[in-house]
């Protein structure tokens, strides 16, 4: 039997907390004989896209919300207005 887990996301407010979380997750995985691929691992990214969200040190934002802000912007559509 082979089971694949796609993502484990660890977010924290500072590096000390982050390292503690990583150690805890690795300990849990080790106890249940779950191994991760080092080649496929990404550690200490400042920002991550997860499904339709952006996760970073400032929190979680829905990507659609960011797109909606740009959709509301009005752009000048004639050259004379730009001058």
């Amino acid at each position: 039997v082979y089971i694949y887990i796609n993502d484990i996301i660890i977010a924290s407010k500072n590096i000390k907390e982050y390292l503690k979380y990583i150690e805890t997750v690795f300990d849990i995985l080790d106890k249940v004989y779950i191994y991760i691929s080092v080649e496929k691992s990404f550690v200490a990214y400042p920002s991550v896209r997860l499904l339709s969200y952006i996760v970073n040190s400032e929190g979680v934002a829905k990507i659609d919300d960011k797109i909606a802000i740009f959709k509301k912007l009005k752009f000048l559509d004639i050259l004379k207005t730009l001058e």
Side-chain angles (χ1 to χ4, degrees):
V1 175
Y2 296 99
I3 299 171
Y4 295 94
I5 299 173
N6 288 341
D7 298 306
I8 298 174
I9 307 294
I10 301 172
S12 65
K13 298 205 182 275
N14 58 56
I15 191 69
K16 186 177 178 181
E17 188 178 79
Y18 181 73
L19 293 173
K20 181 182 172 188
Y21 290 156
I22 287 179
E23 185 177 359
T24 301
V25 169
F26 285 168
D27 286 345
I28 292 168
L29 294 176
D30 188 49
K31 285 179 185 175
V32 294
Y33 304 103
I34 295 176
Y35 304 101
I36 60 170
S37 170
V38 175
E39 296 86 20
K40 295 181 180 180
S41 299
F42 301 95
V43 179
Y45 271 59
S47 181
V48 177
R49 285 183 73 160
L50 177 62
L51 302 174
S52 62
Y53 295 90
I54 296 281
V55 180
N56 60 31
S57 61
E58 296 184 19
V60 179
K62 191 160 175 63
I63 293 173
D64 295 340
D65 294 344
K66 291 184 177 189
I67 293 170
I69 292 169
F70 285 103
K71 287 182 178 178
K72 290 180 183 177
L73 291 175
K74 296 191 186 227
F75 292 97
L76 304 173
D77 56 355
I78 57 173
L79 184 58
K80 188 155 187 121
T81 311
L82 291 172
E83 295 173 346

